[in-house]
Amino acid sequence: MNEIPIFAKTYDLLRWLIPATLKYPREHRFALALRTQQAAFEFNELIVLARKTRDKRELLVRADAHLEQLRLYLRLGHDLQLLSLRQSEYVRREVGAVGALLGEWMKRVGVRSSTE
């Protein structure tokens, strides 16, 4: 079982996301930027814990919820014109790739998605 790609992709996402959200205007920096960063950091913390835990299912479900929150905050950032179209498309692809890796991991440990 090899979950390593999800950690590398998540690191790359965080490395891009932090400076991008710090450029949000002051009136959005402390609400939307902070929540966006927190969702990404909490996602990362949950997958690290899942890697170190025998029963990964609950942690992966929680990580999936944080990834969904991150998607919402990024879409909001684009809709409020805090992220350019190019930035939004890039980060959407990256989050999608992380989500695909998470989905594969969840299937391997027997987590059914809420849409099944």
Side-chain angles (χ1 to χ4, degrees):
M1 198 180 318
N2 185 8
E3 301 89 24
I4 301 302
I6 195 171
F7 294 100
K9 275 296 213 188
T10 301
Y11 178 83
D12 291 343
L13 176 62
L14 283 165
R15 197 176 63 192
W16 182 89
L17 187 69
I18 293 166
T21 55
L22 287 175
K23 293 177 184 172
Y24 283 9
R26 186 173 152 142
E27 63 267 18
H28 295 291
R29 199 173 310 136
F30 298 107
L32 187 56
L34 183 59
R35 285 181 185 259
T36 304
Q37 291 172 7
Q38 284 175 331
F41 278 117
E42 289 173 19
F43 172 81
N44 185 67
E45 290 166 11
L46 287 165
I47 63 170
V48 168
L49 286 172
R51 184 176 186 205
K52 302 289 185 181
T53 304
R54 177 169 282 166
D55 187 8
K56 301 165 182 335
R57 290 175 292 204
E58 179 189 340
L59 293 168
L60 294 177
V61 168
R62 289 174 49 203
D64 189 40
H66 283 287
L67 197 60
E68 193 61 35
Q69 287 176 320
L70 179 60
R71 283 185 178 105
L72 172 75
Y73 299 146
L74 290 167
R75 188 173 72 223
L76 189 56
H78 174 73
D79 290 346
L80 293 172
Q81 299 178 342
L82 305 172
L83 293 172
S84 69
L85 179 60
R86 185 174 173 197
Q87 289 174 313
S88 185
E89 288 172 346
Y90 170 79
V91 76
R92 235 179 252 159
R93 278 192 309 273
E94 293 302 304
V95 171
V98 169
L101 292 167
L102 178 64
E104 291 171 16
W105 191 4
M106 291 173 77
K107 282 182 184 176
R108 282 199 308 269
V109 299
V111 176
R112 293 180 59 123
S113 78
S114 60
T115 59
E116 289 182 4

